Amino acid sequence: MRDFVAAAVSVVGTVSDDLGVATQDFAAVGVGVPGKVDPSGGTMSHAVNLGLGPRPIPLAALLSEALGAPVHVENDANAAALGTARLLPDAPEDLTFLSVGTGIAAGVVLGGRLRRGVHGVAGEIGHLPVDPGGETCECGRRGCLELVASGSAIARRWPVEDGRSPAEDVFRAAGNGHAAAAAIVAELGGHLAEAVILLAMTFDTGTVVLGGGVADVGQPLVDAVAAALRERAAASPLLEALHLDRSLLLAPDAPVGAIGAALAAHHELDGTARPQMLRSVTGG
């Protein structure tokens, strides 16, 4: 965690230097981090991919002390959802952001507001078991979604040389007719299609945005998930009526997590706060 805080302070310092403004003069700094986040207390915990367990880490306080500015901490998928909702045409009031990166999580915006949940874990679908007989996840459960459909899962099944993206490499190989790669892509599309169905049946936002590192693959990822959704809809009149394959979008080509973290921080400012510069730094 010490390294994480130091890295965040370094990034904010770079922004500060570029702007010629001291960090103490920022109205607020927004931070997006994985795991269970308590924005009101400024803590994070249960970030299994960072090795953090149940003990809350007072991240906002640590960063605020180092930067001399107010800090707001937000779950990274929530921040990405908020930033995406702001950047998409017509700024949809309802939106689901499915982040597929090292892990898997979703951020949900309903009526223009984040749906964090009572315990701050709304959208943590990466830890829903899809294979009860599968491997044990860092969260303690077996066969979680992110064990089979995340960037880490792809890397385990399709190892590449350092500096290359396993997701982009396996999609490229599949497009070139590599049978094993095509099987991995089809399985990934199927698992993510089930995640989209789960989110649709739970929140019914009408728009599902695919983001995270794996989404750097671009349209081929959307095509794989859409194909799996059409396959499932062919056997279900209900799913067919929802046209979920048409609900998919790629995340905007912009730092949506950083933008959303800044927006979340801005929303937390009280009415007496001075309208100073607002910047954000994402941490996951």
Side-chain angles (χ1 to χ4, degrees), residues 2 13 20 28 40 47 67 71 80-81 114 125 175 195 217 229 232 237 251 277-278:
R2 185 177 303 170
S40 62
L67 297 171
V71 173
L114 283 175
I125 63 171
V217 166
L229 286 168
R232 285 151 176 76
M277 293 185 178
L278 184 67

Side-chain angles (χ1 to χ4, degrees), residues 227-284:
L229 286 168
R230 287 191 292 270
E231 179 181 320
R232 285 151 176 76
S236 169
L238 174 58
L239 290 182
E240 185 177 23
L242 298 179
H243 303 295
L244 294 179
D245 60 311
R246 304 179 195 173
S247 73
L248 300 178
L249 296 174
L250 279 174
D253 185 16
V256 292
I259 292 169
L263 288 170
H266 179 65
H267 293 165
E268 292 299 315
L269 292 175
D270 63 38
T272 63
R274 290 179 291 151
Q276 299 164 316
M277 293 185 178
L278 184 67
R279 291 294 184 267
S280 75
V281 50
T282 53

Side-chain angles (χ1 to χ4, degrees), residues 109-129:
V109 175
L110 297 175
R113 298 178 64 86
L114 283 175
R115 177 66 175 93
R116 298 184 178 100
V118 174
H119 300 101
V121 296
E124 289 292 329
I125 63 171
H127 296 295
L128 290 177

Side-chain angles (χ1 to χ4, degrees), residues 52-112:
L52 296 183
R55 184 173 67 87
I57 303 297
L59 184 60
L62 293 172
L63 286 175
S64 183
E65 180 180 2
L67 297 171
V71 173
H72 176 79
V73 179
E74 187 61 67
N75 172 269
D76 55 356
N78 286 347
L82 198 60
T84 298
R86 171 62 67 90
L87 292 181
L88 285 180
D90 301 323
E93 287 275 295
D94 298 337
L95 172 147
T96 305
F97 185 95
L98 179 56
S99 178
V100 188
T102 303
I104 292 179
V108 181
V109 175
L110 297 175

